[in-house]
């Protein structure tokens, strides 16, 4: 068989990530407040863009019992586009995961939405995140110290409730009522927060803050406890009386005061003061009279963009050369694209948020104990979008409902397999079952973890022994040996 040159014609498909598409992907991951800043930059760069008069009226999703439908309060922002350069696709933004994986390797996409092709401008990713706040610092630690989704959920909420000094102003009872959980569960979550860095955060008063630091330094003995319980005497200078109450001599008392002076009474202040600022929600959820839910974007943080048509017509009439007409055409196309991209972003966020509310309706009705196991993939499959798109929508977005303000990521919780193999059950249900079994155990026949595994399997929970131990410890219940000792002491008393 001879060798020689030949010409072949082959057909193939490839995904080309245009700068506009890449920027649309980045817009999807931004919060409403970040979008507001981005729009401000676009207004400065593009003279054809203008803020619409009045409040914006984004689409609202009505989630009714057994029905999910979309209504529009008025024409969407895309309807403001003039005929030239208008896009036809009005679907929510959905991007192939492969495209997302390659979006960092497709060259320079940092042109501003208001810049003509070829002009460089600040990109979305160039905005710094700013200094780390106390809440950010705590959120990053919570996932590493517990895998209990309910405990982590409450702990994240507590972290967001701390003031700038790191103190918890709300009572555990108030938090329990707000979240729809027991006060014991809030106490467990608070103990978790108080175990985080910096030591002393989550305290409810100065004495507790200093006590947490004393325990960390292994200096919390009965004498130090008495000193911290009577800080008012120290403030009034009644040192002799305080020394007698502590039962120490002069040398020990001086050492205790020196130790106390080394503690930080306001551990949260070492972080950015932004940690004490209230979170601005991106999505608002409110109950309907028919038992359903209204889900809408926060209008207060979404400026309404329109094209300044009179100014465009004025400029077009004065464009005498080809370069000027080309510049104006590029600005119009960029303005059209930005309005369209923001409209698609709104529809995508609402679609994802509506499915989250639908899947986690138990939480919105009854509290955190009714959270269901939920994954990004489950939501993506339900709304026929890619998992990566859902991940970007839920990043850096907050949802406000009658129970408070929560990050969208918090509604995605893990679960455990059921014994019948017909799906997963919530970790909350498992913990409740363990607590019931232990509360009802015979003091003369304490249940071991192996016995708990068998009893739980009879109730439909297929768990390993180490998993049972993890959940038992998470709800503050000791091992069988510890419980046997405790109940024996209680019987003697």
């Amino acid at each position: 068989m001879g060798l020689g040159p030949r010409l072949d014609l082959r057909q193939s498909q490839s995904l080309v990530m245009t700068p506009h598409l890449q920027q649309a992907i980045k817009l999807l991951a931004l919060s409403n407040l970040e979008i507001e800043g981005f729009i401000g930059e676009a207004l400065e760069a593009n003279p054809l863009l203008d803020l619409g008069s009045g409040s914006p009226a984004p689409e609202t999703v009505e989630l009714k019992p057994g029905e999910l439908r979309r209504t529009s309060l008025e024409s969407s922002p895309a309807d403001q586009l003039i005929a030239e350069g208008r896009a036809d696709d009005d679907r929510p933004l959905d991007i192939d995961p492969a495209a997302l994986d390659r979006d960092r390797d497709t060259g320079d996409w940092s042109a501003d939405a208001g810049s003509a092709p070829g002009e460089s401008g600040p990109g979305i990713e160039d905005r710094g995140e700013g200094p780390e706040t106390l809440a950010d610092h705590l959120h990053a630690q919570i996932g590493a110290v517990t895998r209990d989704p309910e405990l982590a959920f409450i702990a994240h909420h507590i972290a967001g409730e701390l003031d700038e000094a790191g103190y918890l102003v709300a009572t555990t009872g108030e938090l329990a009522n707000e979240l729809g959980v027991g006060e014991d569960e809030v106490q467990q979550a608070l103990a978790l927060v108080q175990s985080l860095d910096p030591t002393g955060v989550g305290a409810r008063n100065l004495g507790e803050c200093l006590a947490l630091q004393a325990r960390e330094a292994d200096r919390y003995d009965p004498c130090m406890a008495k000193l911290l319980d009577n800080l008012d005497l120290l403030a009034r200078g009644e040192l002799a009386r305080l020394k007698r109450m502590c039962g120490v001599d002069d040398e020990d008392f001086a050492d205790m005061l020196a130790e106390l002076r080394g503690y930080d009474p306001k551990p949260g202040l070492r972080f950015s003061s932004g940690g004490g600022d209230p979170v601005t929600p991106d999505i608002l959820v409110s109950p309907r009279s028919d038992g359903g839910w209204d889900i809408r974007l926060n209008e207060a943080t979404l400026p309404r963009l329109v094209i300044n048509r009179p100014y465009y017509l004025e400029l077009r009439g004065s464009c005498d050369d080809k370069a000027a007409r080309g510049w104006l055409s590029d600005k119009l196309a960029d303005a059209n694209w930005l309005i369209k991209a923001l409209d698609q972003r709104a529809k995508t966020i609402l679609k994802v948020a509506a499915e989250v509310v639908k899947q986690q309706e138990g939480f919105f009705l009854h509290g955190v104990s009714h959270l269901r196991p939920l994954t990004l993939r489950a939501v993506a499959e339900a709304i026929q979008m890619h998992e990566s798109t859902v991940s970007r929508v839920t990043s850096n977005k907050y949802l406000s409902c009658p129970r408070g303000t929560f990050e969208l990521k918090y509604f995605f919780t893990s679960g455990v397999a059921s014994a019948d193999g017909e799906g997963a059950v919530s970790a909350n249900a498992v913990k409740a079952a363990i607590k019931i079994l232990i509360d009802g155990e015979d003091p003369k026949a304490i249940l071991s973890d192996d016995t708990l595994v068998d009893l739980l399997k009879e109730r439909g929970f297929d768990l390993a022994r180490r998993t049972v131990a993890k959940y038992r410890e998470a709800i503050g219940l000791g091992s069988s040996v510890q419980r046997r000792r405790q109940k024996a002491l209680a019987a003697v008393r």
Side-chain angles (χ1 to χ4, degrees):
M1 182 176 180
L3 299 178
R6 71 177 189 178
L7 183 63
D8 290 332
L9 183 62
R10 297 181 180 179
Q11 191 175 36
S12 63
Q13 290 182 328
S14 63
L15 177 64
V16 179
M17 293 286 287
T18 65
H20 276 169
L21 180 57
Q22 295 176 47
Q23 206 160 34
I25 295 172
K26 300 296 181 181
L27 286 174
L28 197 60
L30 296 183
S31 68
N32 285 1
L33 290 180
E34 291 170 323
I35 287 290
E36 190 175 11
F38 176 76
I39 287 176
E41 295 175 7
L43 287 169
E44 294 180 2
N46 194 330
L48 299 185
L49 283 172
D50 201 359
L51 289 176
S53 58
S55 299
E59 290 188 354
T60 298
V61 169
E62 297 178 358
L63 185 58
K64 296 183 177 180
E67 178 187 8
L68 178 66
R69 67 183 181 88
R70 183 185 300 267
T71 62
S72 184
L73 302 182
E74 59 179 49
S75 57
S76 69
D79 295 331
Q80 303 291 333
L81 301 180
I82 58 178
E84 298 177 65
R86 177 168 180 161
D88 295 327
D89 187 8
D90 198 37
R91 296 170 297 174
L93 181 64
D94 192 21
I95 306 298
D96 190 299
L100 297 174
D101 292 338
R102 293 195 294 269
D103 64 1
R104 296 179 184 145
D105 305 318
T106 51
D108 180 18
W109 61 273
S110 61
D112 192 330
S115 302
E119 295 180 359
S120 62
I124 300 171
E125 82 288 4
D126 292 333
R127 295 192 192 85
E129 295 182 357
E132 184 183 35
T133 65
L134 174 62
D136 294 335
H137 186 66
L138 297 176
H139 288 323
Q141 299 175 69
I142 290 172
V145 298
T146 180
R147 294 187 178 277
D148 184 326
E150 181 179 340
L151 186 65
F153 189 100
I154 302 173
H156 279 296
H157 186 73
I158 291 175
E161 292 287 325
L162 303 183
D163 65 15
E164 63 178 11
Y167 286 85
L168 180 63
V169 178
T171 67
T172 55
E174 291 171 343
L175 293 175
N177 291 333
E178 181 179 337
L179 296 175
V181 299
E183 192 167 351
D184 289 344
E185 295 171 277
V186 176
Q187 291 282 9
Q188 293 174 33
L190 178 59
L192 184 150
V193 171
Q194 291 178 345
S195 70
L196 304 178
D197 176 77
T199 307
V201 295
R204 288 156 288 188
N205 52 60
L206 177 61
E208 186 176 25
C209 177
L210 299 177
L212 290 169
Q213 296 176 63
R215 288 190 178 94
E216 177 72 16
D218 197 21
R219 293 295 302 271
Y220 191 76
D221 53 23
C223 298
M224 181 64 80
K226 182 66 71 173
L227 173 60
L228 294 177
D229 288 340
N230 295 276
L231 291 176
D232 55 327
L233 298 180
L234 182 61
R236 295 199 298 266
E238 299 183 25
L239 302 184
R241 179 183 174 189
L242 190 55
K243 183 179 66 173
R244 289 194 302 272
M245 294 177 65
C246 294
V248 295
D249 57 24
D250 291 342
E251 183 178 354
D252 286 341
F253 189 65
D255 184 58
M256 291 169 62
L257 293 181
E259 178 77 19
L260 205 59
R261 282 191 287 269
Y263 297 156
D264 187 352
K266 297 181 179 181
L269 291 185
R270 68 187 69 172
F271 295 88
S272 168
S273 61
D277 296 337
V279 172
T280 302
D282 304 273
I283 303 156
L284 305 177
V285 177
S286 56
R288 294 171 52 87
S289 58
D290 61 1
W293 303 91
D294 278 337
I295 303 106
R296 64 187 186 280
L297 296 183
N298 188 354
E299 300 174 2
T301 57
L302 279 179
R304 183 183 183 185
L305 275 184
V306 296
I307 292 177
N308 190 334
R309 182 174 177 79
Y311 189 56
Y312 165 74
L313 295 175
E314 180 183 344
L315 290 178
R316 189 173 65 176
S318 60
C319 287
D320 299 327
D321 57 86
K322 183 177 180 180
R325 288 193 296 271
W327 175 86
L328 185 61
S329 178
D330 288 340
K331 290 298 180 183
L332 179 62
D334 287 335
N336 283 335
W337 171 84
L338 181 55
I339 294 174
K340 184 66 177 179
L342 292 174
D343 187 45
Q344 289 180 321
R345 172 185 176 273
K347 292 177 179 177
T348 305
I349 292 174
L350 284 172
K351 190 171 184 179
V352 172
E355 185 60 30
V356 169
V357 174
K358 182 179 179 180
Q359 296 276 359
Q360 297 289 18
E361 188 177 19
F363 164 81
F364 294 97
L365 291 174
H366 307 294
V368 70
S369 61
H370 287 73
L371 277 174
R372 295 179 52 208
L374 184 63
T375 63
L376 295 172
R377 177 174 296 180
V379 171
E381 291 176 351
I383 61 177
Q384 298 182 342
M385 284 188 173
H386 292 294
E387 186 176 344
S388 54
T389 301
V390 177
S391 177
R392 292 195 174 225
V393 168
T394 55
S395 296
N396 204 25
K397 307 289 191 310
Y398 287 84
L399 180 149
S400 176
C401 64
R403 291 195 176 276
T405 299
F406 307 91
E407 190 175 7
L408 271 182
K409 289 286 189 185
Y410 293 171
F411 293 100
F412 295 85
T413 65
S414 62
V416 296
S418 61
D420 56 13
E422 294 185 357
V425 293
S426 170
N428 302 323
V430 175
K431 290 191 297 182
I434 292 174
K435 190 173 188 307
I436 291 173
L437 288 172
I438 291 179
D439 287 347
E441 67 186 353
D442 188 339
K444 297 180 181 179
I446 300 298
L447 302 176
S448 67
D449 287 344
D450 288 324
T451 304
L452 287 172
V453 169
D454 295 335
L455 294 174
L456 288 168
K457 194 166 187 178
E458 295 176 1
R459 287 161 172 76
F461 304 112
D462 189 9
L463 301 171
R465 181 183 180 279
R466 62 180 179 275
T467 305
V468 171
K470 179 188 72 172
Y471 284 129
R472 173 179 52 72
E473 292 170 358
I475 57 180
L477 298 175
S479 66
S480 58
V481 174
Q482 292 171 325
R483 300 199 309 276
R484 183 178 293 109
R485 186 182 303 118
Q486 291 169 353
K487 293 188 178 184
L489 291 174
V492 170
R493 293 173 185 171

